[in-house]
Amino acid sequence: MQLEPEQILEALDADQAQAARSLLGPTVILAGAGTGKTRTITHRIAYGIVRGDFSENRVLALTYTNRAAGELRARLRGLGVQSANAKTFHSAALAQLEYFFRTLYGIQPFRVQESKTKTLLQAASGLKISLDPNALRDLAAEIEWRKYSLLSIDEYAEQLSQRSLPQSLSANRVIDLQRAYDEQNLKDKKMDWEDVILLCTGMLRAEPRALAQVQQQYRFFTVDEYQDISPLQQDLLDTWLGDRSDICVVGDPNQTIYSFTGASSSYLETFATRYPEANVIQLNRNYRSNPEIIRVANRARVHQHLDALEALRPNGSQPKVIAFENKQQEASWVAQEIKDQLSAGIKASQIAVLYRINGQSEPIEKALSEKSIDYQVRGGQRYYSRQDVMSAIRLVRAEASSPSTKPLYESVTALVRSLGWQSVRPDESGAKLESWEALNHFVEIAEELGPNATIQDFANELEERQRSQHEPVRESVTLSTIHAAKGLEFQSVFIVGATEGYLPISYAKTELDLIEERRLFYVAITRAKDNLQLSWPKSDFETGRDNTLSRFAQYFD
């Protein structure tokens, strides 16, 4: 049963409803952490469709992470919206490139490379340059920053004096490597993800027929996490929009943590200047965290001119700062605390251990393993690379090629049963449980799509999730860098290794760098709902050096 327009708004508070009613023309929603921004924009889209202001198939909701795009699609379906598009910038751009290259030129575009590392190594070999893993990582980041910043190599060269380059390479060598990297991609007929957006923008501007078709297809735009947009992505968004202004952007300047990739909150902060007629709405009622956590977050936030977060939940536990002699003791304590929380009934998927860099996870992983606590490291093995998942996808595609009248749920469960899935979750842990969880995710997607969906709808949803690497959540403790945890929330959060050199990171030297580190700390704090613990080791066991507690711990006082 389809909801009436005002019924859709009943789930929103006054400020969220005001944002949902702002349907035509430019709207900017400044949404603090935990204030229901996803709920607001999905209800706004559904409200506009039910009212008749939006045509469902002409809506395009954009975000930057695969998980966020999947969540938008799922929530829209829950509101009865089936065909509105919710995609990342990259997946939308790639789909348009592939479609128009086939229809206009009769060819496929270049393939998207798996990573920059292989191409960089080939480029370095041609120049007789040896690159260690750190230099490779830093060079890949520099290429990403240059392209997201919409800089040519010559323009980038003019800014090299302000960039932090690999110590083993001169500025001229960095430029040579970047030129060779682009030439190698061209030779191999490959492109990186930044090229996907750049080429899509160029194609649309060069081909009036393609641009007219896209602008006819998409009329109503929503951009989530707008504080993370880069000049490259903004350029594509401007191309899609043309001279129209039916756009809603939502974001939080306090959560700008990707400046190192070229993202800039300036587009969010100047939106009302670029669109003087824009409706500006602030969301500051926090539904996620207890008041004690919100007090810490309000002290830590950078943009104090925006409304402070207002805590709506009852009082809870006080966030703590805890010191240990070394990181082994810290890891052992974290593991025991997690074991106690699991025994108290907190789900494993509601517990997270956050750190600044990936290298800090090793002692935590060891301590959890010693206590037989299941965990997953965000950024580990890709779900869609698993053999059992790939087999299931092939079966789904085969089934979809011969349409059936069987209910979707029946079709999907039959397919995964043929690969060993059973309706009862196995008691044992390890590979058998992991395989069951992987296949059970297919059943969960079928349930999510609903009884009216077809096997073709299911295949299309799988294709979109595979393209955007929208990964399922396992019932296990999450280990993650703070950057990778953005957009997630947990009942209990441990921020570990909180020392100077990690928080803030040692290479954050300028005032702007340190402000970004503070925003990153704010993001870490606001992931927590009920329990927040900050810990640090007093000394480094390997080097014997003494550590200093992070300056950001002052916000806990």
Side-chain angles (χ1 to χ4, degrees), residues 184-226:
Q184 187 67 47
N185 266 339
L186 191 62
K187 178 183 176 183
D188 295 341
K189 296 184 178 180
K190 291 182 180 179
M191 55 184 172
D192 57 33
W193 280 109
E194 299 85 64
D195 291 333
V196 169
I197 295 179
L198 187 66
L199 289 171
C200 182
T201 305
M203 176 199 66
L204 292 176
R205 290 179 177 174
E207 293 287 352
R209 291 174 295 169
L211 181 58
Q213 189 169 335
V214 169
Q215 291 184 341
Q216 175 64 28
Q217 172 68 53
Y218 299 122
R219 172 62 191 272
F220 307 102
F221 291 84
T222 300
V223 186
D224 190 15
E225 303 284 9
Y226 191 59

Side-chain angles (χ1 to χ4, degrees), residues 214-453:
V214 169
Q215 291 184 341
Q216 175 64 28
Q217 172 68 53
Y218 299 122
R219 172 62 191 272
F220 307 102
F221 291 84
T222 300
V223 186
D224 190 15
E225 303 284 9
Y226 191 59
Q227 77 278 350
D228 290 334
I229 199 164
S230 67
L232 179 67
Q233 291 156 331
Q234 183 66 48
D235 200 39
L236 177 58
L237 179 61
D238 289 339
T239 303
W240 282 335
L241 276 168
D243 58 1
R244 301 167 300 172
S245 62
D246 288 321
I247 178 170
C248 171
V249 301
V250 58
D252 179 8
N254 282 302
Q255 296 188 69
T256 302
I257 60 172
Y258 292 107
S259 296
F260 66 92
T261 67
S264 173
S265 62
S266 64
Y267 294 104
L268 174 64
E269 295 179 70
T270 62
F271 187 86
T273 302
R274 288 181 287 124
Y275 294 98
E277 73 278 23
N279 192 8
V280 181
I281 299 152
Q282 283 199 52
L283 305 181
N284 72 318
R285 297 183 181 93
N286 182 282
Y287 296 90
R288 177 186 300 162
S289 308
N290 68 34
E292 291 80 4
I293 293 172
I294 293 302
R295 275 196 288 273
V296 177
N298 279 332
R299 293 188 194 113
R301 66 196 177 98
V302 171
H303 296 269
Q304 295 285 336
H305 64 282
L306 296 176
D307 291 346
L309 293 175
E310 177 188 346
L312 297 181
R313 293 187 52 209
N315 289 334
S317 64
Q318 187 70 37
K320 296 183 180 69
V321 178
I322 306 172
F324 296 91
E325 290 304 315
N326 53 56
K327 60 188 179 184
Q328 284 72 26
Q329 286 186 13
E330 178 186 34
S332 179
W333 175 83
V334 168
Q336 185 58 52
E337 282 289 300
I338 289 174
K339 187 171 184 177
D340 292 345
Q341 290 182 4
L342 292 172
S343 298
I346 298 178
K347 289 185 176 181
S349 59
Q350 283 296 309
I351 302 173
V353 182
L354 306 183
Y355 35 80
R356 180 60 177 84
I357 64 171
N358 285 310
Q360 292 176 278
S361 74
E362 184 179 351
I364 303 295
E365 292 183 58
K366 184 173 183 292
L368 291 174
S369 296
E370 287 173 352
K371 293 188 181 297
S372 301
I373 297 172
D374 192 24
Y375 65 87
Q376 60 178 330
V377 180
R378 282 187 67 79
Q381 183 192 16
R382 291 292 189 183
Y383 174 75
Y384 292 102
S385 299
R386 292 181 57 96
Q387 189 60 47
D388 46 10
V389 171
M390 293 169 66
S391 297
I393 289 174
R394 284 194 290 269
L395 289 176
V396 169
R397 287 173 178 162
E399 183 86 0
S401 66
S402 304
S404 166
T405 57
K406 285 194 300 184
L408 175 62
Y409 185 84
E410 183 181 333
S411 296
V412 172
T413 52
L415 288 174
V416 292
R417 280 185 194 281
S418 71
L419 296 171
W421 176 86
Q422 296 178 339
S423 58
V424 179
R425 178 188 175 95
D427 291 331
E428 65 232 74
S429 59
K432 186 171 183 179
L433 176 59
E434 287 184 9
S435 182
W436 182 88
E437 288 177 334
L439 295 175
N440 192 62
H441 187 57
F442 284 72
V443 180
E444 292 171 348
I445 295 174
E447 291 174 337
E448 184 183 300
L449 290 176
N452 296 324

Side-chain angles (χ1 to χ4, degrees), residues 107-119:
I107 59 173
Q108 291 285 347
F110 287 175
R111 290 178 294 119
V112 180
Q113 63 182 21
E114 293 181 4
S115 76
K116 292 181 174 65
T117 299
K118 183 179 178 181
T119 308

